Amino acid sequence: MNTELSASNLAELGSLVRNLRIHDVTPDLGPDTPMFFPNPAPIMRPFARHATEGAASNTWEIHEHSGAHVDAPFHFDEHGKTTDELAADVLFMRPFKKYDLSPFDLQPGQPASLDQIETAAATGGFTLDAGDVAVVDFGYDKYLPGEAAAREPQWWGRNQPGLSEEACEYFAAAQVTAVASDTSACDLSVADGAMSAGTGHGHHFLPRGILIVECLRGLGAVPATGLIAALPLKLAGSTASPLRVLLLTD
């Protein structure tokens, strides 16, 4: 190996990455984090304080599926991989393609059709390739607290559009690495807590080793293509792991 050339290439790669625009699409993780309605929000308890112990630390109680997180195959497939068995780079520096479904104004309980998915791809000007991460922007973060169309805090986790079975089949056939969304349960359609669709979790995605990333926010400001950088925690036997998700674009 030519060490000098390798070092030069690494320096050039680092410079290119640093010049990319970074979109942090991760919500804050804490007691007020919006959650999929059956799941409890995180709890933080002070463990040590500056005034008493001379340093500060906290104890956290966190459901695996809290905030921005990745669902491992084991979540719905008893023979699937847990998060500690996933490759460290499974979501690191992979191409993403963003499907902007916000113009369709999908309602709670309404699954996105294959035609809507294909229209979003044509509008975005991209082709989905094997190994990509498909990012679905329903525009649903607008209902989160502090946003333009904010609802009461629990509404978001009890209401969302999803993906039709044909849309799930489309992503599975493309052999994507993961499907991500700005909703709390990705392909699952939910209206006031009543669930329907959801064939990605149980059939087309997780049992085929296709990961699911949920609860992103701020996707509206992200261009249609770029790179995703996210690392699951190595939680032994876990069905999911919280993530810090960065989308890198020109």
Side-chain angles (χ1 to χ4, degrees):
M1 176 184 291
N2 187 325
T3 305
E4 184 177 353
L5 180 60
S6 177
S8 174
N9 288 343
L10 287 173
E12 182 179 0
L13 177 61
S15 177
L16 289 172
V17 171
R18 286 192 296 273
N19 287 327
L20 292 175
R21 184 178 179 188
I22 298 176
H23 305 266
D24 187 345
V25 293
T26 317
D28 291 342
L29 193 59
D32 297 326
T33 299
M35 301 284 292
F36 183 48
F37 70 95
N39 300 336
I43 298 172
M44 185 187 76
R45 299 184 182 91
F47 181 77
R49 292 299 193 195
H50 292 290
T52 51
E53 287 82 18
S57 64
N58 301 300
T59 298
W60 285 80
E61 183 178 321
I62 300 177
H63 191 278
E64 296 170 326
H65 301 258
S66 294
H69 65 275
V70 58
D71 288 359
F74 184 64
H75 183 34
F76 268 69
D77 177 8
E78 63 178 330
H79 303 295
K81 290 183 178 181
T82 53
T83 54
D84 54 306
E85 295 172 326
L86 299 176
D89 64 347
V90 67
L91 295 172
F92 186 70
M93 302 301 281
R94 287 188 178 273
F96 76 81
K97 308 290 173 59
K98 190 190 84 165
Y99 292 77
D100 183 7
L101 301 184
S102 59
F104 298 110
D105 192 28
L106 294 169
Q107 299 302 301
Q110 182 181 358
S113 68
L114 176 58
D115 181 66
Q116 289 168 333
I117 293 292
E118 292 178 332
T119 298
T123 301
F126 59 76
T127 300
L128 191 63
D129 298 312
D132 286 351
V133 173
V135 177
V136 182
D137 178 10
F138 289 103
Y140 252 57
D141 57 353
K142 67 184 177 183
Y143 297 117
L144 290 171
E147 300 298 334
R151 302 289 186 93
E152 54 90 15
Q154 286 74 39
W155 186 91
W156 180 84
R158 295 181 61 86
N159 294 276
Q160 65 169 56
L163 298 173
S164 67
E165 183 158 16
E166 293 75 19
C168 291
E169 289 173 343
Y170 165 90
F171 290 128
Q175 298 181 319
V176 295
T177 293
V179 180
S181 77
D182 61 346
T183 54
S184 64
C186 195
D187 55 292
L188 191 65
S189 300
V190 186
D192 197 24
M195 296 178 280
S196 59
T199 58
H201 274 76
H203 183 64
H204 295 294
F205 299 161
L206 296 179
R208 298 186 185 188
I210 296 172
L211 306 180
I212 297 173
V213 176
E214 297 162 333
C215 302
L216 304 181
R217 70 183 303 172
L219 294 178
V222 179
T225 62
L227 298 173
I228 186 171
L231 296 174
L233 298 176
K234 206 170 183 180
L235 301 174
S238 176
T239 71
S241 167
L243 297 169
R244 182 76 176 260
V245 183
L246 306 179
L247 300 180
L248 312 179
T249 64
D250 290 335

